Amino acid sequence: MPPTREQVLARCAGQVPQQWGTDLPGVAATVPGGALALTFDACGGPGGNGYDAALIGTLRRLRVPATLFLNARWVDANPGPAAELAADPLFELGNHGTAHRPLSVTGRSAYGITGTGDPAAAYEEVAGNRAKLAALLGRAPGWFRAGTAHYDEVAVALVGQLGEQVAGFAVNGDGGATFTPAQVARTVAAAPPGSIVISHFNHPEAGTAEGYAQALPGLLDAGQRFVRLSG
């Protein structure tokens, strides 16, 4: 059983973070064994509630597993696709937060988005969507990625207390859903073995789906393996 809210907040009391960013101890950016771990975020709310069915269709057609990070607002806006993805063994669902905020205990910001302001807010950002996904999956998710993928080290430890691992990335596959298809294809095709690749599946209008459709066949033909974050 994970600790209670009160226990988590007691452990965080008085801790002053010294680090901030996407590359901190305890934040995974690679996977062992040389496979690529493709991860796709659905940010929800102002970050976009769309559903890139073409991208998901390409992954299914090519039998490429992936970890999909769902924000609570995206789940609420897309109950049908969320349930369908939860039932598909090709995919692993991860926790992308309740309100898609950078995970901070002091209110640090990233990309103009204000982070959680204290340990209690950080706890709710993780635990609120954890409960939503547990109801959807029948079990708690094993991985968490904050909105913007930014953390301080106290917040990273808080996620661990709740029994989730923290996902970062080594390769930004679609530039926050801003890349053209050609940029996506080049970036993904060049990802070093073992990389966690971050992209998005909540912007069907972006170049992400077409870029992956271009890149994946060549990677598969070259013998590249793909894994979910949990294996």
Side-chain angles (χ1 to χ4, degrees), residues 74-113:
W74 189 91
V75 174
D76 289 342
N78 296 275
E84 181 182 290
L85 294 169
D88 190 335
L90 189 65
F91 303 122
E92 172 184 22
L93 300 192
N95 182 352
H96 198 35
T98 304
H100 192 259
R101 299 179 68 184
L103 206 68
S104 168
V105 297
T106 60
R108 294 287 297 267
S109 298
Y111 304 120
I113 302 175

Side-chain angles (χ1 to χ4, degrees), residues 18-112:
Q18 303 298 316
Q19 302 177 69
W20 176 247
T22 62
D23 184 16
L24 276 67
V27 177
T30 60
V31 294
L36 288 180
L38 302 183
T39 68
F40 298 91
D41 294 355
C43 303
N49 284 321
Y51 175 53
D52 197 339
L55 174 64
I56 297 301
T58 294
L59 296 173
R60 285 173 167 154
R61 176 173 55 85
L62 297 176
R63 302 305 300 164
V64 173
T67 302
L68 310 178
F69 284 93
L70 277 55
N71 176 259
R73 297 170 304 179
W74 189 91
V75 174
D76 289 342
N78 296 275
E84 181 182 290
L85 294 169
D88 190 335
L90 189 65
F91 303 122
E92 172 184 22
L93 300 192
N95 182 352
H96 198 35
T98 304
H100 192 259
R101 299 179 68 184
L103 206 68
S104 168
V105 297
T106 60
R108 294 287 297 267
S109 298
Y111 304 120

Side-chain angles (χ1 to χ4, degrees), residues 165-184:
Q165 299 181 74
V166 179
F169 61 94
V171 174
N172 188 336
D174 68 354
T178 66
F179 284 178
T180 65
Q183 288 175 310
V184 173

